[in-house]
Amino acid sequence: MTTQTTLSAPLYGASFPQAVSRFFRKYATFSGRASRSEYWWWVLANTLVAVAFNALGPVTDPQWDSRPVNLLSPFAAGGSFPLASPVGVAFLIYATAILIPALALTWRRLHDTDRSGAWFFIVFVPIIGAIVLFVFTVLSARPAGARFDR
């Protein structure tokens, strides 16, 4: 027997399809919380999409190996810009389309750990910032995080 959880509440134990669906249904929602499963299933889905783009790149562009899409930062490409191929253009459109919802999901994940979403900006501190943000997203939920629900 399954129970329905409203979109405003975090969905603990979310399945892969549920997490991806909630990611798009809460497109630009910065309030509320996101469970670890919601967050990490989306990270996996996004990684699979990036891998697929990189797998398709050499099929459409023989020089793809000299400018693959960067998994962590699609806007920072070594050598020539990824717009030189149709797959690069498609990935750039995809990356732009998910930029706001990915930020919103991370913001909500930080809320679930009882931290302000503004902690996201620690990622701009070289090396240490990304590690701190990673640790925050891995931490378990804190009941006090409910203060971010509306």
Side-chain angles (χ1 to χ4, degrees), residues 8-110:
S8 61
L11 181 59
Y12 297 107
S15 67
F16 184 82
Q18 287 173 318
V20 172
S21 171
R22 285 174 68 92
F23 175 82
F24 288 108
R25 289 171 60 201
K26 295 178 83 166
Y27 192 85
T29 304
F30 286 79
S31 62
R33 297 175 288 155
S35 68
R36 275 191 291 193
S37 57
E38 285 179 76
Y39 180 81
W40 288 107
W41 278 126
W42 171 253
V43 170
L44 175 64
N46 192 43
T47 300
L48 292 174
V49 169
V51 167
F53 275 111
N54 273 317
L56 289 173
V59 173
T60 62
D61 182 5
Q63 294 183 0
W64 181 265
D65 291 336
S66 67
R67 57 178 182 279
V69 173
N70 183 330
L71 178 64
L72 299 176
S73 179
F75 300 103
S80 56
F81 199 66
L83 288 177
S85 80
V87 174
V89 170
F91 188 75
L92 197 58
I93 291 168
Y94 167 78
T96 303
I98 67 157
L99 184 65
I100 297 297
L103 177 59
L105 178 63
T106 304
W107 208 268
R108 293 191 314 271
R109 178 70 203 120
L110 288 166

XYZ file of all heavy atoms in Angstrom, residues 8-110:
802
model
N 4.537 19.617 -1.627
C 5.191 20.537 -0.694
C 6.030 19.807 0.347
O 6.919 20.401 0.940
C 4.146 21.414 -0.004
O 3.251 20.609 0.728
N 5.776 18.535 0.566
C 6.530 17.764 1.558
C 7.618 16.947 0.864
O 7.454 16.532 -0.276
C 5.584 16.832 2.316
N 8.727 16.701 1.570
C 9.764 15.864 0.966
C 9.258 14.423 0.833
O 8.481 13.960 1.661
C 10.930 15.953 1.948
C 10.328 16.373 3.242
C 9.095 17.159 2.901
N 9.682 13.742 -0.194
C 9.272 12.358 -0.419
C 10.428 11.446 -0.039
O 11.330 11.187 -0.841
C 8.860 12.139 -1.877
C 8.391 10.737 -2.244
C 7.193 10.322 -1.401
C 8.032 10.671 -3.722
N 10.421 10.995 1.204
C 11.489 10.110 1.671
C 11.303 8.731 1.046
O 10.200 8.234 0.935
C 11.484 10.033 3.198
C 11.763 11.370 3.823
C 10.751 12.102 4.441
C 13.031 11.929 3.755
C 11.003 13.349 4.977
C 13.297 13.175 4.289
C 12.280 13.880 4.905
O 12.538 15.119 5.426
N 12.397 8.146 0.590
C 12.331 6.849 -0.068
C 11.773 6.919 -1.477
O 11.218 5.946 -1.985
N 11.930 8.061 -2.134
C 11.413 8.238 -3.503
C 12.095 7.261 -4.452
O 13.285 6.976 -4.322
C 11.655 9.667 -3.976
N 11.346 6.761 -5.402
C 11.909 5.909 -6.439
C 12.502 6.794 -7.533
O 12.264 7.999 -7.569
C 10.830 4.999 -7.026
O 9.881 5.779 -7.724
N 13.240 6.180 -8.444
C 13.852 6.919 -9.551
C 12.807 7.702 -10.354
O 12.949 8.912 -10.533
C 14.644 5.948 -10.432
C 15.383 6.614 -11.552
C 16.619 7.203 -11.334
C 14.851 6.638 -12.832
C 17.311 7.814 -12.374
C 15.537 7.243 -13.878
C 16.770 7.828 -13.638
N 11.713 7.049 -10.828
C 10.717 7.809 -11.605
C 10.037 8.911 -10.787
O 9.757 9.989 -11.306
C 9.695 6.761 -12.048
C 10.329 5.440 -11.823
C 11.396 5.623 -10.803
N 9.782 8.652 -9.508
C 9.161 9.667 -8.667
C 10.075 10.883 -8.523
O 9.621 12.019 -8.588
C 8.857 9.104 -7.275
C 7.710 8.136 -7.230
C 7.580 7.490 -5.857
O 8.573 7.119 -5.235
N 6.344 7.363 -5.394
N 11.352 10.641 -8.315
C 12.305 11.742 -8.133
C 12.407 12.590 -9.394
O 12.411 13.821 -9.323
C 13.671 11.185 -7.740
N 12.484 11.947 -10.550
C 12.584 12.693 -11.808
C 11.292 13.476 -12.055
O 11.329 14.650 -12.446
C 12.910 11.744 -12.989
C 12.815 12.474 -14.319
C 14.301 11.141 -12.806
N 10.153 12.863 -11.794
C 8.872 13.542 -11.963
C 8.772 14.763 -11.048
O 8.374 15.845 -11.474
C 7.727 12.573 -11.671
O 6.499 13.247 -11.621
N 9.145 14.593 -9.792
C 9.078 15.703 -8.835
C 10.059 16.812 -9.211
O 9.788 17.988 -8.982
C 9.345 15.208 -7.417
C 8.159 14.449 -6.840
C 8.477 13.836 -5.503
N 8.681 14.805 -4.450
C 7.738 15.247 -3.638
N 6.508 14.811 -3.756
N 8.020 16.115 -2.689
N 11.191 16.445 -9.782
C 12.163 17.453 -10.215
C 11.509 18.416 -11.201
O 11.636 19.634 -11.074
C 13.369 16.771 -10.868
C 14.361 17.747 -11.455
C 15.292 18.359 -10.647
C 14.361 18.035 -12.804
C 16.216 19.261 -11.177
C 15.269 18.927 -13.351
C 16.200 19.538 -12.532
N 10.795 17.881 -12.184
C 10.172 18.733 -13.196
C 8.883 19.378 -12.698
O 8.549 20.492 -13.103
C 9.939 17.948 -14.485
C 11.211 17.663 -15.217
C 11.742 16.383 -15.256
C 11.910 18.681 -15.852
C 12.935 16.125 -15.917
C 13.101 18.437 -16.513
C 13.616 17.157 -16.550
N 8.148 18.711 -11.819
C 6.905 19.277 -11.305
C 7.163 20.427 -10.333
O 6.316 21.299 -10.172
C 6.057 18.192 -10.648
C 5.487 17.239 -11.710
C 4.807 16.019 -11.146
N 3.687 16.383 -10.301
C 3.185 15.560 -9.394
N 3.700 14.355 -9.216
N 2.168 15.940 -8.659
N 8.313 20.419 -9.695
C 8.689 21.498 -8.769
C 9.773 22.347 -9.436
O 10.755 22.723 -8.814
C 9.183 20.901 -7.454
C 8.108 20.143 -6.695
C 8.638 19.524 -5.439
C 8.639 20.548 -4.338
N 8.837 19.958 -3.006
N 9.570 22.674 -10.687
C 10.568 23.281 -11.565
C 11.350 24.423 -10.930
O 12.566 24.439 -10.970
C 9.885 23.771 -12.852
C 10.857 24.148 -13.930
C 11.375 23.181 -14.780
C 11.273 25.459 -14.089
C 12.284 23.517 -15.773
C 12.179 25.808 -15.079
C 12.678 24.837 -15.914
O 13.576 25.161 -16.885
N 10.684 25.398 -10.368
C 11.380 26.555 -9.796
C 10.915 26.814 -8.368
O 10.811 27.955 -7.936
C 11.162 27.779 -10.665
N 10.659 25.747 -7.630
C 10.196 25.869 -6.249
C 11.390 25.822 -5.312
O 12.034 24.779 -5.179
C 9.209 24.727 -5.912
O 8.144 24.749 -6.849
C 8.671 24.874 -4.503
N 11.670 26.949 -4.683
C 12.806 27.034 -3.773
C 12.390 26.840 -2.324
O 13.234 26.657 -1.464
C 13.522 28.379 -3.940
C 14.331 28.469 -5.199
C 13.735 28.715 -6.415
C 15.703 28.260 -5.170
C 14.480 28.785 -7.580
C 16.457 28.322 -6.326
C 15.852 28.583 -7.540
N 11.098 26.878 -2.051
C 10.632 26.655 -0.683
C 10.369 25.173 -0.474
O 10.195 24.421 -1.424
C 9.362 27.468 -0.420
O 8.342 27.042 -1.290
N 10.332 24.766 0.772
C 10.097 23.367 1.084
C 11.397 22.592 1.182
O 12.482 23.172 1.275
N 11.268 21.270 1.154
C 12.431 20.405 1.343
C 12.453 19.303 0.290
O 11.436 18.973 -0.290
C 12.385 19.772 2.738
C 12.453 20.779 3.859
C 12.281 20.141 5.214
N 10.892 19.728 5.391
C 10.497 18.763 6.209
N 11.386 18.090 6.917
N 9.232 18.445 6.319
N 13.635 18.743 0.078
C 13.807 17.598 -0.823
C 14.585 16.524 -0.076
O 15.612 16.812 0.547
C 14.560 18.002 -2.083
N 14.103 15.312 -0.152
C 14.762 14.207 0.542
C 16.061 13.817 -0.166
O 16.308 14.211 -1.311
C 13.829 13.001 0.593
O 13.647 12.474 -0.717
N 16.871 13.031 0.543
C 18.106 12.549 -0.082
C 17.813 11.746 -1.333
O 18.501 11.891 -2.346
C 18.898 11.667 0.901
C 19.786 12.441 1.815
C 20.730 11.535 2.551
N 20.008 10.706 3.504
C 20.580 10.010 4.456
N 21.886 10.003 4.581
N 19.871 9.284 5.300
N 16.791 10.886 -1.269
C 16.488 10.060 -2.441
C 16.047 10.915 -3.621
O 16.456 10.661 -4.751
C 15.430 9.001 -2.113
O 14.252 9.592 -1.632
N 15.245 11.945 -3.386
C 14.852 12.848 -4.481
C 16.082 13.476 -5.121
O 16.199 13.540 -6.342
C 13.971 13.992 -3.957
C 12.557 13.627 -3.614
C 11.808 14.833 -3.091
O 11.435 15.693 -3.922
O 11.594 14.916 -1.875
N 16.981 13.943 -4.286
C 18.164 14.641 -4.776
C 19.108 13.694 -5.526
O 19.495 13.966 -6.662
C 18.897 15.299 -3.604
C 20.137 16.047 -4.029
C 20.037 17.326 -4.543
C 21.398 15.471 -3.932
C 21.161 18.025 -4.957
C 22.525 16.157 -4.334
C 22.401 17.428 -4.843
O 23.523 18.100 -5.260
N 19.464 12.593 -4.900
C 20.480 11.713 -5.502
C 19.957 10.926 -6.687
O 20.725 10.609 -7.597
C 21.109 10.806 -4.443
C 21.997 11.629 -3.566
C 21.763 12.008 -2.275
C 23.238 12.242 -3.948
N 22.780 12.807 -1.824
C 23.703 12.968 -2.827
C 23.996 12.259 -5.115
C 24.898 13.692 -2.856
C 25.172 12.969 -5.134
C 25.621 13.674 -4.017
N 18.667 10.617 -6.749
C 18.127 9.985 -7.955
C 18.216 10.963 -9.122
O 18.509 10.580 -10.252
C 16.680 9.526 -7.774
C 16.510 8.201 -7.096
C 15.757 7.931 -5.996
C 17.085 6.939 -7.489
N 15.844 6.598 -5.676
C 16.642 5.967 -6.577
C 17.943 6.540 -8.524
C 17.016 4.627 -6.664
C 18.310 5.208 -8.609
C 17.854 4.267 -7.689
N 17.959 12.256 -8.846
C 18.073 13.227 -9.930
C 19.524 13.375 -10.370
O 19.814 13.494 -11.561
C 17.493 14.592 -9.554
C 17.851 15.563 -10.624
C 18.764 16.567 -10.566
C 17.397 15.537 -11.983
N 18.884 17.180 -11.796
C 18.049 16.559 -12.680
C 16.480 14.747 -12.672
C 17.825 16.822 -14.026
C 16.259 15.018 -14.011
C 16.921 16.039 -14.673
N 20.456 13.376 -9.427
C 21.888 13.456 -9.796
C 22.241 12.291 -10.710
O 22.930 12.480 -11.725
C 22.779 13.473 -8.535
C 24.242 13.298 -8.886
C 22.576 14.770 -7.761
N 21.761 11.097 -10.393
C 22.018 9.939 -11.254
C 21.388 10.143 -12.635
O 22.041 9.900 -13.653
C 21.477 8.659 -10.608
C 21.576 7.407 -11.478
C 23.041 7.058 -11.766
C 20.870 6.240 -10.822
N 20.146 10.582 -12.683
C 19.472 10.798 -13.972
C 20.228 11.816 -14.814
O 20.452 11.606 -16.011
C 18.030 11.267 -13.742
N 20.652 12.895 -14.205
C 21.373 13.937 -14.923
C 22.728 13.418 -15.417
O 23.152 13.747 -16.532
C 21.547 15.159 -14.018
C 22.018 16.356 -14.770
O 21.554 16.651 -15.866
N 22.964 17.069 -14.190
N 23.389 12.625 -14.609
C 24.671 12.029 -15.020
C 24.470 11.104 -16.218
O 25.269 11.122 -17.161
C 25.314 11.269 -13.847
O 25.528 12.200 -12.776
C 26.627 10.642 -14.238
N 23.406 10.317 -16.198
C 23.127 9.415 -17.320
C 22.859 10.195 -18.602
O 23.300 9.793 -19.685
C 21.945 8.500 -16.986
C 22.195 7.472 -15.889
C 20.906 6.727 -15.550
C 23.291 6.503 -16.283
N 22.162 11.324 -18.483
C 21.911 12.161 -19.659
C 23.228 12.706 -20.203
O 23.474 12.681 -21.413
C 20.921 13.310 -19.325
C 20.869 14.334 -20.440
C 19.538 12.748 -19.056
N 24.101 13.184 -19.320
C 25.396 13.722 -19.758
C 26.245 12.638 -20.416
O 26.893 12.885 -21.445
C 26.141 14.326 -18.569
N 26.218 11.440 -19.859
C 26.962 10.326 -20.454
C 26.401 9.995 -21.835
O 27.147 9.735 -22.785
C 26.942 9.089 -19.520
C 27.423 7.838 -20.227
C 27.785 9.362 -18.278
N 25.078 10.028 -21.961
C 24.449 9.754 -23.262
C 24.861 10.795 -24.304
O 25.172 10.446 -25.448
C 22.928 9.719 -23.122
N 24.871 12.057 -23.910
C 25.317 13.100 -24.836
C 26.766 12.870 -25.259
O 27.113 13.015 -26.430
C 25.166 14.495 -24.223
C 23.796 15.092 -24.399
C 22.957 15.264 -23.317
C 23.349 15.489 -25.647
C 21.699 15.822 -23.471
C 22.093 16.050 -25.820
C 21.263 16.205 -24.730
N 27.612 12.495 -24.312
C 29.018 12.249 -24.645
C 29.187 10.996 -25.490
O 30.133 10.891 -26.269
C 29.873 12.174 -23.383
C 30.361 13.531 -22.945
O 30.783 14.338 -23.762
N 30.280 13.801 -21.659
N 28.273 10.042 -25.352
C 28.338 8.840 -26.186
C 27.873 9.140 -27.610
O 28.383 8.556 -28.575
C 27.489 7.729 -25.578
N 26.906 10.049 -27.742
C 26.396 10.416 -29.066
C 27.304 11.393 -29.804
O 27.272 11.466 -31.033
C 25.009 11.037 -28.954
C 23.875 10.094 -28.589
C 22.590 10.877 -28.345
C 23.669 9.070 -29.692
N 28.105 12.120 -29.074
C 28.976 13.122 -29.672
C 29.849 12.610 -30.795
O 29.839 13.165 -31.904
N 30.623 11.540 -30.578
C 31.493 11.041 -31.639
C 30.737 10.525 -32.871
O 31.283 10.495 -33.969
C 32.246 9.889 -30.968
C 32.132 10.131 -29.514
C 30.845 10.859 -29.318
N 29.477 10.139 -32.699
C 28.682 9.645 -33.817
C 28.363 10.785 -34.787
O 28.347 10.599 -36.000
C 27.373 8.993 -33.302
C 26.452 8.620 -34.443
C 27.700 7.786 -32.442
N 28.131 11.973 -34.244
C 27.735 13.107 -35.086
C 28.882 14.042 -35.437
O 28.747 14.861 -36.334
C 26.640 13.933 -34.389
O 27.163 14.453 -33.160
C 25.411 13.099 -34.120
N 29.994 13.930 -34.710
C 31.107 14.850 -34.927
C 32.427 14.098 -34.742
O 32.766 13.703 -33.640
C 31.022 16.019 -33.940
C 32.118 17.040 -34.134
O 32.908 16.917 -35.084
O 32.175 17.989 -33.323
N 33.180 13.885 -35.811
C 34.424 13.119 -35.706
C 35.471 13.770 -34.796
O 36.355 13.093 -34.298
C 34.938 13.041 -37.142
C 34.072 13.923 -37.955
C 32.893 14.320 -37.152
N 35.378 15.061 -34.562
C 36.344 15.725 -33.691
C 35.829 15.891 -32.259
O 36.382 16.663 -31.480
C 36.708 17.084 -34.273
C 37.445 16.968 -35.581
C 37.857 18.337 -36.093
O 37.589 19.347 -35.466
N 38.508 18.344 -37.240
N 34.788 15.167 -31.904
C 34.169 15.292 -30.572
C 35.188 15.042 -29.461
O 35.138 15.698 -28.427
C 33.011 14.320 -30.448
C 32.324 14.401 -29.130
C 32.540 13.635 -28.037
C 31.299 15.326 -28.755
N 31.722 14.005 -27.014
C 30.947 15.041 -27.420
C 30.645 16.366 -29.409
C 29.975 15.754 -26.730
C 29.678 17.067 -28.718
C 29.346 16.771 -27.406
N 36.091 14.106 -29.652
C 37.045 13.766 -28.597
C 37.900 14.953 -28.179
O 38.396 14.997 -27.058
C 37.943 12.609 -29.029
C 37.163 11.308 -29.134
O 36.121 11.187 -28.464
O 37.604 10.432 -29.896
N 38.065 15.928 -29.043
C 38.860 17.090 -28.684
C 38.049 18.134 -27.912
O 38.604 19.063 -27.377
C 39.467 17.736 -29.939
O 38.438 18.279 -30.738
N 36.710 17.944 -27.821
C 35.875 18.897 -27.085
C 34.624 18.234 -26.502
O 33.502 18.661 -26.787
C 35.493 20.069 -27.974
C 34.769 19.683 -29.234
C 34.378 20.944 -30.023
N 33.656 20.593 -31.191
C 34.196 20.187 -32.328
N 35.494 20.080 -32.443
N 33.450 19.879 -33.360
N 34.784 17.198 -25.677
C 33.605 16.573 -25.080
C 32.920 17.514 -24.099
O 33.528 18.453 -23.600
C 34.181 15.359 -24.359
C 35.577 15.759 -24.048
C 36.021 16.619 -25.198
N 31.652 17.242 -23.827
C 30.899 18.033 -22.867
C 31.414 17.699 -21.477
O 31.547 16.536 -21.108
C 29.389 17.723 -22.971
C 28.623 18.405 -21.863
C 28.865 18.142 -24.327
N 31.716 18.741 -20.718
C 32.190 18.569 -19.350
C 31.001 18.175 -18.488
O 30.021 18.910 -18.403
C 32.817 19.880 -18.875
C 33.412 19.776 -17.493
O 32.965 19.008 -16.662
N 34.429 20.581 -17.263
N 31.083 17.032 -17.816
C 29.988 16.507 -17.017
C 29.589 17.465 -15.902
O 28.423 17.638 -15.606
C 30.384 15.152 -16.428
C 29.392 14.453 -15.527
C 28.145 14.102 -16.324
C 30.004 13.207 -14.944
N 30.557 18.109 -15.281
C 30.256 18.978 -14.147
C 29.912 20.398 -14.557
O 29.195 21.094 -13.861
C 31.440 18.985 -13.176
C 31.784 17.623 -12.584
C 33.017 17.716 -11.714
C 30.613 17.060 -11.800
N 30.423 20.849 -15.673
C 30.152 22.215 -16.118
C 30.046 22.251 -17.633
O 31.035 22.427 -18.324
C 31.256 23.161 -15.639
O 30.992 24.457 -16.098
N 28.830 22.103 -18.153
C 28.671 22.050 -19.610
C 29.055 23.336 -20.317
O 29.279 23.346 -21.509
C 27.182 21.757 -19.794
C 26.549 22.221 -18.534
C 27.571 22.006 -17.443
N 29.163 24.422 -19.578
C 29.497 25.703 -20.194
C 31.005 25.918 -20.297
O 31.455 26.842 -20.930
C 28.847 26.853 -19.421
C 27.354 26.732 -19.387
C 26.707 26.281 -18.252
C 26.593 27.028 -20.500
C 25.335 26.144 -18.226
C 25.214 26.898 -20.485
C 24.584 26.453 -19.347
N 31.784 25.058 -19.644
C 33.243 25.183 -19.679
C 33.805 24.025 -20.487
O 33.892 22.906 -20.018
C 33.809 25.153 -18.265
N 34.134 24.279 -21.718
C 34.660 23.227 -22.585
C 36.108 23.531 -22.927
O 36.469 24.678 -23.147
C 33.834 23.129 -23.865
N 36.912 22.501 -22.950
C 38.309 22.686 -23.325
C 38.425 22.787 -24.840
O 37.658 22.190 -25.583
N 39.394 23.532 -25.308
C 39.585 23.658 -26.750
C 38.479 24.476 -27.372
O 38.224 25.595 -26.978
N 37.783 23.904 -28.330
C 36.721 24.639 -29.003
C 35.391 24.445 -28.266
O 35.203 23.512 -27.510
C 36.606 24.177 -30.451
O 36.411 22.796 -30.495
N 34.479 25.324 -28.517
C 33.187 25.346 -27.840
C 32.291 24.218 -28.337
O 32.304 23.892 -29.527
C 32.544 26.711 -28.077
C 31.470 27.042 -27.104
C 31.765 27.226 -25.771
C 30.160 27.171 -27.515
C 30.780 27.546 -24.869
C 29.159 27.491 -26.618
C 29.478 27.686 -25.290
N 31.469 23.588 -27.478
C 30.625 22.468 -27.894
C 29.545 22.828 -28.913
O 28.917 21.944 -29.472
C 29.999 21.966 -26.599
C 30.203 23.015 -25.600
C 31.365 23.841 -26.043
N 29.334 24.117 -29.173
C 28.330 24.498 -30.169
C 28.747 24.106 -31.573
O 27.991 24.276 -32.521
C 28.069 26.006 -30.120
C 27.297 26.491 -28.905
C 27.161 28.000 -28.944
C 25.937 25.839 -28.836
N 29.948 23.562 -31.720
C 30.431 23.156 -33.034
C 29.755 21.880 -33.525
O 29.957 21.482 -34.664
C 31.943 22.964 -32.992
N 28.947 21.232 -32.693
C 28.260 20.021 -33.134
C 26.796 20.058 -32.690
O 26.462 20.718 -31.710
C 28.939 18.773 -32.566
O 28.548 18.565 -31.235
N 25.929 19.341 -33.385
C 24.508 19.309 -33.003
C 24.295 18.742 -31.601
O 23.423 19.211 -30.877
C 23.858 18.401 -34.053
C 24.830 18.324 -35.180
C 26.191 18.602 -34.620
N 25.085 17.755 -31.219
C 24.940 17.164 -29.882
C 25.352 18.188 -28.825
O 24.716 18.302 -27.775
C 25.756 15.862 -29.757
C 25.733 15.338 -28.344
C 25.218 14.813 -30.714
N 26.392 18.941 -29.102
C 26.814 19.982 -28.179
C 25.746 21.045 -27.995
O 25.482 21.508 -26.890
N 25.093 21.430 -29.083
C 24.008 22.412 -29.019
C 22.851 21.842 -28.200
O 22.297 22.530 -27.329
C 23.532 22.810 -30.432
C 22.265 23.635 -30.379
C 24.634 23.545 -31.172
N 22.492 20.587 -28.460
C 21.388 19.955 -27.728
C 21.704 19.885 -26.233
O 20.840 20.155 -25.392
C 21.114 18.563 -28.286
N 22.936 19.548 -25.897
C 23.300 19.470 -24.480
C 23.291 20.850 -23.838
O 22.877 21.001 -22.689
C 24.667 18.804 -24.278
C 24.960 18.555 -22.820
C 24.326 17.525 -22.152
C 25.831 19.361 -22.126
C 24.566 17.301 -20.804
C 26.081 19.140 -20.779
C 25.450 18.107 -20.119
N 23.719 21.850 -24.555
C 23.704 23.211 -24.024
C 22.271 23.669 -23.751
O 21.993 24.290 -22.720
C 24.400 24.167 -24.995
C 24.816 25.517 -24.439
C 25.746 25.362 -23.248
C 25.506 26.328 -25.526
N 21.349 23.324 -24.636
C 19.936 23.644 -24.430
C 19.414 22.900 -23.200
O 18.735 23.474 -22.342
C 19.102 23.308 -25.687
C 19.470 24.272 -26.818
C 17.598 23.342 -25.384
C 18.937 23.861 -28.172
N 19.746 21.613 -23.096
C 19.340 20.803 -21.944
C 19.892 21.402 -20.646
O 19.159 21.575 -19.663
C 19.824 19.361 -22.131
C 19.741 18.530 -20.879
C 18.526 18.009 -20.447
C 20.874 18.269 -20.114
C 18.446 17.258 -19.292
C 20.802 17.518 -18.964
C 19.587 17.016 -18.545
O 19.514 16.277 -17.398
N 21.180 21.719 -20.633
C 21.815 22.254 -19.426
C 21.185 23.582 -19.010
O 20.980 23.838 -17.821
C 23.314 22.421 -19.656
N 20.854 24.410 -19.985
C 20.213 25.686 -19.685
C 18.805 25.458 -19.127
O 18.389 26.134 -18.185
C 20.162 26.565 -20.946
O 21.492 26.745 -21.434
C 19.530 27.909 -20.664
N 18.094 24.489 -19.674
C 16.723 24.204 -19.242
C 16.669 23.666 -17.815
O 15.686 23.912 -17.105
C 16.063 23.226 -20.199
N 17.679 22.946 -17.379
C 17.636 22.369 -16.034
C 18.403 23.193 -15.002
O 18.445 22.814 -13.831
C 18.151 20.912 -16.017
C 19.634 20.855 -16.330
C 17.320 20.021 -16.910
C 20.310 19.610 -15.806
N 18.975 24.296 -15.403
C 19.775 25.101 -14.484
C 18.965 25.567 -13.269
O 19.370 25.329 -12.122
C 20.361 26.302 -15.230
C 21.305 27.186 -14.433
C 22.560 26.414 -14.054
C 21.688 28.403 -15.255
N 17.835 26.203 -13.490
C 17.008 26.709 -12.381
C 16.440 25.565 -11.540
O 16.544 25.598 -10.312
C 15.878 27.637 -12.899
C 16.481 28.868 -13.566
C 14.908 28.021 -11.781
C 17.294 29.758 -12.654
N 15.842 24.529 -12.145
C 15.318 23.462 -11.285
C 16.411 22.706 -10.515
O 16.176 22.250 -9.401
C 14.565 22.538 -12.242
C 14.998 22.914 -13.597
C 15.471 24.325 -13.547
N 17.601 22.591 -11.083
C 18.687 21.924 -10.358
C 19.118 22.759 -9.160
O 19.381 22.225 -8.075
C 19.867 21.666 -11.286
N 19.169 24.066 -9.348
C 19.481 24.953 -8.231
C 18.381 24.870 -7.173
O 18.661 24.793 -5.973
C 19.649 26.391 -8.729
C 19.916 27.452 -7.665
C 21.184 27.146 -6.875
C 20.021 28.820 -8.310
N 17.122 24.867 -7.603
C 15.995 24.775 -6.665
C 16.032 23.459 -5.889
O 15.778 23.437 -4.676
C 14.673 24.912 -7.419
N 16.345 22.361 -6.561
C 16.420 21.068 -5.884
C 17.526 21.068 -4.836
O 17.334 20.592 -3.717
C 16.667 19.943 -6.900
C 16.819 18.543 -6.307
C 15.530 18.102 -5.615
C 17.198 17.551 -7.401
N 18.675 21.615 -5.160
C 19.775 21.684 -4.195
C 19.379 22.578 -3.022
O 19.659 22.256 -1.861
C 21.054 22.214 -4.869
O 21.359 21.383 -5.996
C 22.223 22.224 -3.916
N 18.714 23.672 -3.310
C 18.238 24.597 -2.287
C 17.321 23.853 -1.315
O 17.472 23.966 -0.094
C 17.482 25.723 -2.988
C 17.454 27.041 -2.306
C 16.504 27.485 -1.438
C 18.383 28.118 -2.472
N 16.784 28.771 -1.059
C 17.929 29.187 -1.671
C 19.544 28.274 -3.213
C 18.602 30.395 -1.598
C 20.206 29.490 -3.142
C 19.741 30.527 -2.340
N 16.354 23.085 -1.869
C 15.419 22.330 -1.026
C 16.122 21.218 -0.260
O 15.757 20.913 0.874
C 14.275 21.759 -1.873
C 13.354 22.811 -2.443
C 12.081 22.241 -3.045
N 12.277 21.097 -3.911
C 12.511 21.159 -5.219
N 12.568 22.335 -5.819
N 12.671 20.063 -5.925
N 17.136 20.611 -0.869
C 17.893 19.567 -0.171
C 18.608 20.160 1.048
O 18.650 19.562 2.124
C 18.910 18.922 -1.129
C 19.776 17.882 -0.500
C 18.990 16.604 -0.137
N 19.685 15.888 0.902
C 19.178 15.608 2.100
N 17.940 15.926 2.384
N 19.879 14.990 3.002
N 19.162 21.347 0.891
C 19.802 22.026 2.019
C 18.775 22.342 3.111
O 19.066 22.212 4.303
C 20.514 23.295 1.544
C 21.782 23.044 0.732
C 22.236 24.311 0.022
C 22.897 22.476 1.597
